[in-house]
Amino acid sequence: ESPFFLPYDHPTIVDMQYVSHVERAVASAMYYKGYDVRKRFANIDRWLSAYEKLPHYMASKSDYYTHCMDIPPQYGPCFDNNSDLAQRARASIDPSKARLPVDWRSDLEPPTAAQLEVPEEDFRIEAALRLISNH
C-alpha cells in the first residue's frame, strides 16, 4: 500500500500540495504545544518518512524553527503553552539557545532514518564545505 495520497509509489500533485503545510503543522505543534504529531498519527509519519527518502525533497525540506517562524506573519500569532515538552522543544529547536556540540540524536526535531545511518563526521564535512563555498 502506498504511503502517498494516491496509490502510486511516488508522490503526486496532491501530496505536493499538502506536504509543506503538514511540515509546518508538525513543527509548530511541537514548538508551541509540545505535541508530537508524527508520534500520534502513524499515517502522517509514514507519509513524511516516504517523502524523506526522496533526495529532491530533502534538498528543499526546511527545519522546524524556520517553519515555526514563518507561520505568524502568514496566519497570525501562535499561542504556546508551558507544558514541559513544549518548553523543552522551544529550547531545543530555537537556534539562539543552541550549544556545541549538538546532540542530534536526542533533538526534538527528529532526524530521518537515512540521516541516522550517516556518520556524524560526514555532516561536519558537509557543513565545512558549505561554509567555504559561501565565501
Side-chain angles (χ1 to χ4, degrees), residues 100-126:
L100 294 175
V102 174
D103 184 4
W104 297 107
R105 298 191 194 290
S106 69
D107 195 351
L108 292 171
E109 180 176 351
T112 67
Q115 289 170 328
L116 290 173
E117 294 174 5
V118 177
E120 186 174 324
E121 184 176 322
D122 289 7
F123 292 115
R124 292 177 186 207
I125 292 168
E126 180 183 358

Side-chain angles (χ1 to χ4, degrees), residues 17-18 83 131 135:
Q17 180 66 36
Y18 288 102
S83 72
L131 283 171
H135 179 53

Side-chain angles (χ1 to χ4, degrees), residues 9-42:
D9 62 352
H10 56 81
T12 65
I13 192 73
V14 177
D15 300 282
M16 291 176 217
Q17 180 66 36
Y18 288 102
V19 71
S20 65
H21 297 285
V22 174
E23 276 183 354
R24 281 181 277 192
V26 167
S28 297
M30 178 58 76
Y31 189 84
Y32 291 108
K33 302 294 185 185
Y35 187 79
D36 192 340
V37 171
R38 291 184 74 156
K39 194 175 282 185
R40 173 71 175 86
F41 298 98

Side-chain angles (χ1 to χ4, degrees), residues 47-77:
W47 180 62
L48 289 172
S49 293
Y51 250 112
E52 291 166 350
K53 293 176 183 171
L54 305 171
H56 56 276
Y57 169 76
M58 291 304 292
S60 64
K61 181 182 178 197
S62 191
D63 62 279
Y64 275 25
Y65 183 75
T66 301
H67 279 314
C68 295
M69 297 302 108
D70 282 347
I71 287 183
Q74 294 175 26
Y75 303 119

